[in-house]
Amino acid sequence: MAEVSLAIGGRSYVITCRDGDEARLQHLASLIDAKTQDARRAVPGLTEVRQLLFAALFLADELNDIRTGAIPAAPPAPDPRLADALESLADRMESLVSRLAAVPENA
């Protein structure tokens, strides 16, 4: 088991998770933290518990909108391997074009 430190609402929380889940949990914590900041800006003076409550409500509202189709889900993030494969393919095509350009027309 791994431990990960999550920063939410100006506090740090250390939790135990499965090995390899650390980055995902940190990403999720950053989403929650952003919503606590939204709550703090919208209603100054909220206690920490109320900030977390509003963050949960904001996230639940977004999830509900996505599930009911009120707003479309964000498209999946592009796979970096695809960009590498396209780059490699472009290099190969440029190489073929260069080789073909070097061949005399009568050949």
Side-chain angles (χ1 to χ4, degrees), residues 2 18 24 31 63 69 77 104-105:
R18 290 185 298 217
R24 179 168 170 73
L31 297 174
L63 178 61
E105 286 187 31

Side-chain angles (χ1 to χ4, degrees), residues 2 4 15-16 22 24 29 50 62 66 69 86-87 93 97-98 102:
V4 63
I15 63 169
T16 302
E22 299 91 346
R24 179 168 170 73
R50 286 184 109 25
E62 287 180 20
I66 291 168
L86 288 173
E87 183 76 29
M93 290 174 68
V97 167
S98 295

Side-chain angles (χ1 to χ4, degrees), residues 42-101:
V43 186
L46 288 176
T47 65
E48 178 184 355
V49 171
R50 286 184 109 25
Q51 286 177 26
L52 292 171
L53 170 64
F54 275 86
L57 289 170
F58 291 158
L59 290 167
D61 184 46
E62 287 180 20
L63 178 61
N64 185 62
D65 286 348
I66 291 168
R67 285 184 176 172
T68 61
I71 59 171
D79 186 343
R81 295 175 298 173
L82 179 59
D84 291 341
L86 288 173
E87 183 76 29
S88 176
L89 182 59
D91 290 343
R92 287 174 52 195
M93 290 174 68
E94 287 175 4
S95 174
L96 286 171
V97 167
S98 295
R99 287 174 36 201
L100 287 172

